[in-house]
Amino acid sequence: DKVGTEVRRAMAAAMAELSGEVAGLAFAAVEEAVGDVRGVSEIIKEILGGDVLQQCTDLLKHVRGITATYRMTNRPMPSRPSHYVSGILRPLGELQQTFRKQASVSEELMTDLRDHVAKEVTVKYAETAGDLLKTVHQTESSLKRLKERQVQATGGNQDTEAAASDADKICLQLFLDVKEFGKQLQKLGIAVGHESTPEYAHLWQTVAPEGKKDAIDLLGTN
C-alpha cells in the first residue's frame, strides 16, 4: 500500500549510510514504536536483509571457478571444501552477532531475518550448482565423443579414465563444498534437514552422488 511504500523509501534512505550497529538500533526503535511488527519485519528483510543477501550471493560466483581448477590441470582428487565456502554466510553471521551484542533487536526478528537470507542464498546456490553440473556433463560428453572419433581415426585403444576424472573431481569438490555450507548453516543456529530446510535438501540432492542423495550426512566420509 501507499503507507508501506513510503515507509520503505524513508527507511531505505535513512539507513543507507548507517553502520550495521547503528542500523540495528534504528530498526529496534522502529520495531518497538510500530504496532504491526509483522509489517516492519517485512520492511527490514527487504532493506537490511537485501543488502546482506547480496553480499552472500556475490560469493557464489566462486562456484563456477571449480571447473577451471580441475579441468585439464591434473590436480588430485579434492579432499576438503573450497576456501570461499566458509565466507558465503559470513555477512549474515556478522550481522547476527552485532544484533545479539546490542540486545536491541528482538530474537524473533533476527531469526526471521536469518532464515530469510539463508533460504534465499541456498536457493541461489542450488541454481548455480545445477547450472555448473549441467555444463560439466555436457562438456564431458563432448570430450568423450571427440576422443572416440580420434581413437577410431588412429585405430588405437580408447582410454576414457582421464577424461572422466576431471568431471569426477569437479563433482566431488562441489559436494564437499555443499557439505561445508550445511555446517555453516548449523553454526548460525539453523537445523539442517529435509523437513526443516527443504531448500538445503534440494541443494544436497543436486550435488550428492548416487547413493547419498536421500540422507543428508554432514559428518560422514566423502
Side-chain angles (χ1 to χ4, degrees), residues 15-196:
M15 304 302 168
E17 303 299 326
L18 297 182
S19 65
E21 182 176 355
V22 177
L25 292 171
F27 278 128
V30 173
E31 182 186 9
E32 182 178 356
V34 179
D36 187 4
V37 177
R38 181 176 300 177
V40 175
S41 175
E42 292 302 316
I43 294 172
I44 293 175
K45 285 195 293 185
E46 288 184 19
I47 299 173
L48 188 56
D51 180 59
V52 174
L53 175 59
Q54 187 63 52
Q55 293 179 50
C56 294
T57 53
D58 282 347
L59 290 169
L60 292 177
K61 64 185 179 182
H62 295 293
V63 174
R64 299 183 180 88
I66 296 175
T67 300
T69 300
Y70 292 102
R71 182 71 70 192
M72 310 294 285
T73 61
N74 292 321
R75 285 176 177 265
M77 289 290 283
S79 59
R80 63 187 64 183
S82 303
H83 293 298
Y84 75 89
V85 181
S86 61
I88 295 176
L89 296 172
R90 185 171 296 140
L92 178 58
E94 291 175 348
L95 179 66
Q96 192 175 42
Q97 289 178 1
T98 298
F99 281 0
R100 282 178 173 169
K101 187 181 300 183
Q102 295 171 353
S104 57
V105 176
S106 69
E107 190 67 26
E108 180 182 358
L109 179 56
M110 185 60 238
T111 299
D112 200 22
L113 176 60
R114 179 202 66 185
D115 293 348
H116 166 69
V117 174
K119 172 184 176 180
E120 294 301 320
V121 173
T122 305
V123 169
K124 182 63 176 178
Y125 199 161
E127 292 176 357
T128 304
D131 289 342
L132 175 64
L133 288 174
K134 181 179 179 180
T135 301
V136 167
H137 293 318
Q138 289 176 339
T139 301
E140 282 304 313
S141 295
S142 297
L143 290 173
K144 184 177 180 180
R145 288 194 297 269
L146 176 61
K147 192 162 188 176
E148 288 174 347
R149 288 197 293 269
Q150 290 175 338
V151 170
Q152 291 175 356
T154 59
N157 294 323
Q158 185 175 352
D159 179 14
T160 60
E161 184 65 26
S165 178
D166 288 341
D168 290 342
K169 294 172 186 177
I170 294 170
C171 292
L172 177 56
Q173 185 64 72
L174 193 55
F175 180 52
L176 292 173
D177 291 353
V178 167
K179 288 180 68 175
E180 176 61 26
F181 180 73
K183 294 177 183 178
Q184 296 301 317
L185 288 172
Q186 290 181 328
K187 287 182 179 180
L188 290 177
I190 298 174
V192 175
H194 286 279
E195 295 184 3
S196 57

